[in-house]
Amino acid sequence: GRFFINGVDTSTKGLDIVANYLVVDPSAGRFDFTLAGNFTQTRVTKVPQTAQLAALSPAPVLFDRVNVLAFEKGQPRNKINASVDWKLQEFGATLRATRYGEVIDPGTTAALDQVLSPKTLVDMEFRYNLNKQWKVAVGADNVFDVYADPRPPALNTNGAASFSNYSPFGRSGRFVYGRVTYTF
């Protein structure tokens, strides 16, 4: 598709693929397997310009290298998700792995770019239905406590930015939770 954002034209091409497979075994339960992939490519095809600014010497740049790269490479070009959801009587569980592709945190020059390598996160949840009204669950997102690549010292001169804001999965690490649900 083509988009017009604040005077910027972009072109995005992509493909979403989802496959689902269901297995039901009376003694082992119901297994719902899902594999999904998203593959996209965004290109900036036109940047904003004004006659007034173009007449200045040197002409200031409204939409510079950082802005272009943020659109084109500031998000993963691919994301793959594999999950299995299991249910047997009052019990249930979900196991999910999500792989995020490479991202670039753009700098004002190529030497100041940071390439964030692909990472895979695993989430797990276990559920139990106490009765028709009460349900409990425990789980963890990012079970293996995966973080984005740390900022190199040359890009973290004040020590305040340990991780890039461009990480597609945040920078908080593992999140463990418990949940109680009451339905009336």
Side-chain angles (χ1 to χ4, degrees), residues 1-115:
R2 290 184 53 95
F3 299 95
F4 183 77
I5 303 169
N6 295 331
V8 177
D9 276 332
T10 64
S11 174
T12 301
K13 298 176 184 175
L15 177 66
D16 289 325
I17 301 171
V18 179
N20 189 277
Y21 185 69
L22 179 65
V23 175
V24 179
D25 181 295
S27 61
R30 173 189 170 120
F31 296 86
D32 188 359
F33 296 91
T34 303
L35 180 63
N38 171 268
F39 308 89
T40 58
Q41 179 180 22
T42 298
R43 292 281 177 234
V44 173
T45 57
K46 181 182 173 192
V47 296
Q49 297 177 352
T50 66
Q52 294 86 352
L53 291 177
L56 298 174
S57 181
V61 178
L62 287 177
F63 203 79
D64 65 4
R65 175 183 192 282
V66 171
N67 302 114
V68 170
L69 282 175
F71 272 88
E72 294 182 347
K73 298 187 179 186
Q75 57 192 345
R77 290 178 93 178
N78 57 68
K79 177 181 171 186
I80 299 169
N81 180 293
S83 67
V84 61
D85 190 62
W86 168 76
K87 292 179 185 152
L88 178 64
Q89 298 172 3
E90 294 85 21
F91 296 94
T94 301
L95 176 64
R96 176 179 37 256
T98 305
R99 181 196 180 274
Y100 297 91
E102 179 179 283
V103 172
I104 292 182
D105 181 345
T108 53
T109 66
L112 298 176
D113 288 348
Q114 180 184 4
V115 177

Side-chain angles (χ1 to χ4, degrees), residues 135-162:
K135 298 173 183 168
V136 295
V138 294
D141 294 339
N142 192 359
V143 171
F144 299 111
D145 206 24
V146 174
Y147 289 84
D149 298 335
R151 276 225 183 268
L155 299 179
N156 188 16
T157 55
N158 63 8
S162 299

